[in-house]
Amino acid sequence: MSSFIIYPAIDIRDGKCVRLVQGDYNQETVYNDDPVQVALSWEKQGGTYVHLVDLDGAKAGHPVNDELIGRIASAVNVPVQVGGGLRTVADVERLLGLGVSRLIIGTAAIEDRVFTEEVLGRYGDKVAIGIDARNGYVATRGWLETSEVQAEVLAKELAAFGAETFIFTDISRDGMMQGPNVEAIVSLAKASGRNVIASGGVSVMDDLLRLSRHADDGIGGAIVGKALYTGSIDLSEAVRAVNK
């Protein structure tokens, strides 16, 4: 049985820990004013990885919350992965220098293939490709735009250039507490032949168990956000459950 990792999510906007509904910046809930304490809490509850999203960076097109991200990476003893606005090699180098373990390239994977292929070639498994899909097509710029590129086609192409990890979000499920699109996630994993982390829609423990049963199909983990903040899922219980 392949391993399955739960990635508790911290979405950062204006220095606070927030959640958006389907990426809509006008539908925001602030859950905590101190993302560092949230990260420490996830680690204390058994989290083995922390997932950070620089929402300000995603919207601006360049990382915005570097200082806060660096403080989080220094505070916890588990790996941290970060996405949001990464467009240049300098961005990648700077965040890796802050102690971030893995960076997520999203919009640039569509809009700047030269950059994407360069960082994949240079940093390998320190780079994950974030594929956020709306009706099967890749969305970009903090989900504000939808491209004409199919998610599975992009995954196949970038796997050929060295991508080892994909983070797949079905935007229609994000923040809606309706459960993940397991079929689409498995399909992407099989199409790419790579590790895929599920994102969006995880609302109850059974969602995680359903995903973890497909670890051998390439689903290597799941990002959990809103369900942790509302108490619908207890992280410590979830970590134990998927590792039985």
Side-chain angles (χ1 to χ4, degrees):
M1 186 70 179
S2 300
S3 61
F4 186 89
I5 297 172
I6 296 173
Y7 297 81
I10 299 175
D11 291 1
I12 300 169
R13 189 179 186 203
D14 295 330
K16 299 176 181 178
C17 177
V18 308
R19 293 299 291 171
L20 307 181
V21 176
Q22 295 185 337
D24 186 346
Y25 285 74
N26 294 314
Q27 296 188 64
E28 175 190 273
T29 301
V30 177
Y31 283 109
N32 197 295
D33 289 338
D34 189 348
V36 176
Q37 289 304 313
V38 176
L40 289 168
S41 174
W42 294 151
E43 180 183 17
K44 186 177 180 180
Q45 292 177 51
T48 57
Y49 226 109
V50 174
H51 173 81
L52 302 179
V53 179
D54 183 348
L55 290 174
D56 300 300
K59 196 170 186 179
H62 57 84
V64 172
N65 291 289
D66 292 22
E67 189 271 337
L68 179 53
I69 289 167
R71 284 198 287 123
I72 292 171
S74 297
V76 297
N77 294 306
V78 296
V80 171
Q81 65 183 18
V82 177
L86 291 160
R87 304 280 197 279
T88 68
V89 174
D91 291 337
V92 172
E93 292 178 341
R94 191 174 65 257
L95 286 171
L96 289 174
L98 292 174
V100 173
S101 297
R102 183 160 61 201
L103 297 171
I104 304 159
I105 306 298
T107 295
I110 289 288
E111 297 185 353
D112 191 342
R113 189 61 64 86
V114 172
F115 159 71
T116 303
E117 292 172 9
E118 180 180 355
V119 294
L120 284 173
R122 188 180 297 189
Y123 298 107
D125 60 5
K126 291 183 181 296
V127 175
I129 303 298
I131 297 182
D132 304 333
R134 184 181 281 115
N135 299 320
Y137 289 85
V138 180
T140 61
R141 297 189 176 274
W143 300 352
L144 299 176
E145 299 176 14
T146 303
S147 74
E148 297 181 356
V149 179
Q150 291 183 315
E152 290 188 10
V153 172
L154 178 64
K156 288 178 185 177
E157 291 177 356
L158 293 181
F161 281 100
E164 294 293 335
T165 301
F166 293 96
I167 297 174
F168 179 71
T169 305
D170 181 341
I171 295 172
S172 68
R173 304 294 182 100
D174 186 74
M176 301 304 291
M177 305 289 279
Q178 295 177 349
N181 188 340
V182 178
E183 182 178 332
I185 301 162
V186 170
S187 182
L188 189 87
K190 290 182 175 179
S192 66
R194 298 292 187 269
N195 177 54
V196 176
I197 300 169
S199 175
V202 172
S203 58
V204 294
M205 187 78 78
D206 187 58
D207 293 332
L208 288 172
L209 294 175
R210 283 194 300 133
L211 288 167
S212 68
R213 293 186 193 110
H214 291 280
D216 289 337
D217 293 324
I219 300 183
I223 294 165
V224 188
K226 187 175 181 180
L228 293 177
Y229 293 97
T230 61
S232 177
I233 292 176
D234 178 274
L235 181 58
S236 57
E237 290 180 9
V239 170
R240 288 194 296 271
V242 301
N243 286 296
K244 283 185 178 178

